[in-house]
């Protein structure tokens, strides 16, 4: 018996570890529920709900292939090596297959498992790469270093994708025995309704196809306008591995075969976004200190944050007085998702206008996002706070009113999320709607204050220390 260990790769298709496990089958599968670990990682209740739904679809699909899915609850990753070893002994299993993950706790968990297996000399854990398009550590400068700037990283990825990366997804495995019914799975933790997002592989694939067929060609024009539903909304499924980045690019290429040569503007810009995801993952693997809460740019430790608890509370509740920021925070609090342009605006506002440490915002986002993903969230926050790798220059400070006029010109998005509040005030026209009302801080003052605080990044430029 071979054992497939599922983590954030809740899919049958394009799953190299599952594929290999079943080739050597017959196979069983295991999944660890780790409540305290997830709490430490600030996993949002809405993501737990999506995870539960995705696990049930996976378990059903595995059952049809005759594969039993064992779900075991332990508190933290630290409990896994012993539990896994015990399970393997009970079931007479020697080979365990899994797909590697990029986060530092996850990497350390796998090292601990491998160390125990080495000591026992009875089992082995084989790791595959299924999360990135290209293995972290393989996109390097001519000097053999990780790129510090996105554009050359992206160009190198495109070359590798053109020349040697096989994007063909692995097929779902063949049946391992007679079909069985795996019991339904309940994760006994706080959950928040996630039904707006697909949880099965087939529904996720349909969402991708719909986006490719009808929206991706206009992506470059529409993606920055939060009132339009113009982005793929695949983030939550990518975060849990219900679909892989490889599958996204493979099917995009089927529709736009000259994509990698830079033809087709919308699809090229969408591919760029997938490559930002890739960039942050590669940075994380090659700089594990980032996974422990450190600034990428070591000079950023000299920024003096004000960290006002009162201001933070107002930001979380969407009560800063800046309509676009407040509507965006309402979107996050109500739906568990926030448009990318607004993530940048809100993160800039928290770190620059309020001078609150980006880690506070990173945590709050993770606690509420259905697509919460450590590498992309950390990358996005450090970009906005100018502390990251190829980040926004420190002197660039979004003006939330101008952002509002530019990206929500008729106030349509603001009206959706601030409707109740606006009803209590006199009617506002499309110009007035963007203006701050009883604002927490005045823009020009905040801008000057931020420039002063962030000038510690100035001396020798934006390089990492
Ligand atoms: C402060 C901040 C926090 C963020 N937190 C997260 C997070 O926790 N999880 C997350 O997946 N993304 C995060 N992002 C990136 C981005 O905002 C979301 O991926 C995007 O809004 C998701 O919407 P979509 O699925 O419709 O994306 P699309 O626009 O359709 O893009 C397709 C996919 O590409 C990836 N992607 C797109 N933009 C980025 C980006 N800037 N960085 C990294 N990957 C990207 C995502 O996987 C996304 O699903 C964050 C960005 C910022 C500025």
């Amino acid at each position: 018996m071979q054992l497939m260990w599922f983590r954030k790769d809740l899919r049958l298709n394009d799953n190299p570890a599952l594929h290999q496990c079943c080739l050597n089958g017959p196979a069983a599968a295991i999944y660890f529920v780790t409540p305290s670990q997830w709490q430490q990682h600030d996993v949002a209740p809405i993501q737990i709900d999506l995870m539960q739904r995705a696990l049930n679809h996976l378990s059903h699909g595995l059952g049809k292939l005759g594969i039993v899915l064992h779900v075991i609850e332990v508190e933290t990753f630290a409990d896994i090596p012993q539990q896994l070893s015990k399970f393997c002994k009970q079931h007479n299993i020697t080979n365990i297959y899994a797909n590697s993950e990029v986060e530092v706790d996850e990497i350390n968990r796998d090292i601990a498992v491998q160390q125990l297996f080495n000591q026992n000399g009875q089992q082995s854990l084989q790791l595959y790469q299924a999360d990135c398009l290209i293995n972290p550590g393989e996109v390097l400068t001519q000097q053999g270093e990780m790129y510090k700037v996105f554009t050359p990283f992206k160009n190198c990825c495109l070359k590798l994708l053109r020349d040697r990366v096989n994007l063909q997804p692995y097929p779902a495995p063949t049946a391992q025995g007679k079909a069985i019914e795996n019991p339904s799975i309940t994760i006994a933790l706080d959950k928040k309704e996630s039904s707006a997002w697909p949880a099965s592989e087939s529904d996720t694939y349909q969402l991708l196809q719909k986006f490719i067929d009808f929206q991706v060609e206009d992506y470059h024009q529409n993606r920055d306008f939060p009132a339009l539903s113009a982005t793929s909304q695949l983030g939550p499924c990518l975060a849990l591995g219900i679909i892989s980045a490889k599958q996204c690019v493979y099917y995009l290429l089927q529709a736009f075969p000259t994509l990698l040569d830079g033809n087709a503007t919308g699809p090229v810009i969408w591919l760029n976004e997938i490559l930002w995801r890739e960039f942050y993952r590669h940075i994380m693997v090659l700089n594990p200190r980032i996974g422990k809460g450190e600034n990428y740019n070591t000079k950023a430790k000299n920024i003096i944050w004000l960290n006002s608890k009162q201001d933070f509370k107002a930001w979380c509740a969407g009560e800063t007085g800046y309509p676009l920021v407040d509507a965006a925070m309402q979107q996050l609090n109500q739906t568990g998702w926030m448009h990318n342009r607004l993530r940048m605006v809100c993160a800039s506002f928290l770190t620059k206008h309020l001078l609150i440490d980006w880690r506070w915002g990173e945590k709050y986002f993770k606690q509420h996002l259905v697509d919460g993903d450590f590498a992309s969230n950390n990358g996005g926050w450090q970009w906005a706070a100018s502390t990251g790798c190829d980040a926004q220059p420190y002197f660039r400070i979004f003006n939330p009113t101008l952002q509002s006029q530019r990206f929500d010109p008729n106030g349509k998005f603001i009206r959706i999320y601030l409707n109740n509040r606006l009803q209590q005030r006199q009617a506002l026209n499309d110009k007035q709607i963007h203006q701050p009302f009883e604002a927490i801080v005045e823009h020009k003052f905040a801008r000057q204050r931020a420039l002063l605080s962030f000038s510690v990044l100035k001396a020798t430029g934006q390089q990492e220390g």
Side-chain angles (χ1 to χ4, degrees), residues 187-258:
I187 301 182
L189 291 171
D190 262 5
K191 290 189 284 288
K192 187 177 159 184
E193 173 80 51
S194 68
S195 57
W197 282 274
S200 72
E201 286 184 73
S202 58
D203 288 350
T204 305
Y205 175 72
Q206 271 178 30
L207 181 64
L208 171 67
Q209 270 310 336
K210 200 176 109 217
F211 178 72
I212 291 176
D213 291 345
F214 301 111
Q215 289 174 299
V216 76
E217 282 184 279
D218 299 323
Y219 181 75
H220 58 300
Q221 284 162 350
N222 297 338
R223 66 179 177 138
D224 271 319
F225 296 91
L228 303 176
S229 180
T231 65
S232 71
Q233 306 257 330
L234 283 164
C237 304
L238 280 162
L240 295 183
I242 303 167
I243 196 167
S244 70
K246 251 189 189 175
Q247 285 171 298
C248 291
V249 176
Y250 177 80
Y251 291 112
L252 187 66
L253 262 170
Q254 300 295 300
F256 302 95
T258 55

Side-chain angles (χ1 to χ4, degrees), residues 69-186:
L69 176 64
H70 302 264
V71 178
I72 295 183
E73 183 171 322
V74 295
E75 277 310 312
T76 65
F77 287 168
D79 304 314
I80 289 181
Q82 288 296 345
Q83 285 293 331
L84 187 58
S85 167
K86 196 169 120 199
F87 177 91
C88 290
K89 278 183 200 144
Q90 277 166 358
H91 292 82
N92 208 10
I93 287 169
T94 50
N95 297 327
I96 297 102
Y97 304 78
N99 295 306
S100 59
E101 297 182 295
V102 293
E103 301 90 347
V104 71
D105 289 344
E106 280 74 353
I107 291 175
N108 287 338
R109 171 203 59 201
D110 289 349
I111 293 174
V113 167
Q114 274 164 330
Q115 279 172 346
L116 184 68
F117 284 178
N118 285 346
Q119 277 168 24
N120 292 349
Q122 286 166 6
Q123 288 96 17
S124 77
L125 170 65
Q126 293 174 41
L127 291 174
Y128 297 79
Q129 203 289 111
D131 182 30
C132 296
L133 297 170
I134 304 166
N135 298 338
E138 286 186 13
V139 184
L140 299 174
T141 63
Q142 292 198 330
Q143 288 71 42
E145 287 166 7
M146 171 64 196
Y147 286 92
K148 297 199 172 85
V149 180
F150 174 71
T151 304
F153 171 85
K154 175 194 79 177
N155 290 336
C156 185
C157 286
L158 290 175
K159 187 170 168 8
L160 291 171
L161 290 175
R162 266 192 308 261
D163 294 352
R164 70 168 169 86
V165 174
N166 180 5
L167 285 169
Q168 176 83 40
Y170 288 87
T174 51
Q176 302 290 299
K178 254 183 34 202
I180 50 153
E181 191 73 52
N182 278 317
S184 82
I185 299 160
T186 306

Side-chain angles (χ1 to χ4, degrees), residues 305-336:
W305 304 106
L306 290 180
N307 288 345
S308 152
K309 286 194 177 129
Q310 204 184 338
D311 287 357
F312 182 62
K313 229 169 126 188
W315 178 84
C316 295
E319 287 170 358
T320 67
Y322 284 86
L324 190 66
V325 174
D326 292 349
M329 293 305 291
Q330 288 299 330
Q331 182 181 39
L332 176 65
N333 292 336
Q334 287 172 30
T335 70

